[in-house]
Amino acid sequence: MTTIPYKIVVVGDAGTGKTTFLTRLMTGKCEKTCIPTVGAQVRPYTLYTQTFPPGFSFGPIPIQPVQFEVWDCAGQEEFYYLNARAALVFVDKALPIAERMGQIKKWITRIQRVAGNIPVFAVHNKWDTQKKHVLLHPAFKEKCMLGMSALSSYANYGLDRPFLFFARRITGNAKLLQVEAPPIVIPIALSVVTLPITAFGVECTFSTKLIQ
């Protein structure tokens, strides 16, 4: 059965680190210089989760992969938000709080105009660049009904938090926990090879299994 990935749009003013964040998240590479995005870039991302049952479990707990289709959007083209299931809004943590609040409100308005009241996660990026760490007031978070966190692409800090938030909201399962990706199992193919040999003047054959 094919799982349809959940469309996530990533928006924010220029220079807030959207593309750098996605590159770090999906490849592990931290690019200090980045070419500005033109139009939209679409990338797949999988978050591996588990739901632990109450009490003790005597069997293996199945891993539940949650598939996302992440749209790195540039500019003001709101048609990219069509059919989005959630949105990531990036702001630069170095900006004053009032300016960050204004940017978040602006992007939420644009998103909801096209995609409706979908889950929104506000990312205060570049957390490693400032000594004083200040997030927005919780009342603002509740008023806008969004998730919120600080992260740093450079320090590789907090990158998965938005997607766990989205997975819980979209699936309606608040007990989802993120886990490591399962190991890749390489199938082993066995083939039977028949080889002729001669023993005591009589030709006979024997078979052996070769692993490919």
Side-chain angles (χ1 to χ4, degrees), residues 175-191:
K175 296 182 179 181
L176 283 180
L177 297 175
Q178 183 182 358
V179 296
E180 295 290 333
I184 299 175
V185 178
I186 301 176
I188 299 176
L190 300 178
S191 60

Side-chain angles (χ1 to χ4, degrees), residues 99-117:
E99 190 169 346
R100 279 185 272 160
M101 289 179 64
Q103 288 187 7
I104 292 172
K105 289 180 178 179
K106 172 188 69 177
W107 287 106
I108 288 178
T109 300
R110 291 176 178 173
I111 292 165
Q112 291 182 342
R113 188 160 52 220
V114 178
N117 191 25

Side-chain angles (χ1 to χ4, degrees), residues 6 24 36 38 51 53 69 73-74 77 82 93 102 128 133 139 141 146-147 152 159 168 174 194 203 211:
Y6 300 118
R24 177 71 154 174
V38 178
T51 303
E69 185 181 81
C73 302
E77 298 87 347
L82 288 171
K93 192 214 150 290
D128 55 282
H133 303 328
K141 174 181 175 180
L146 51 81
S152 169
L159 305 189
R168 289 171 173 173
T194 302
E203 186 175 282
I211 299 178

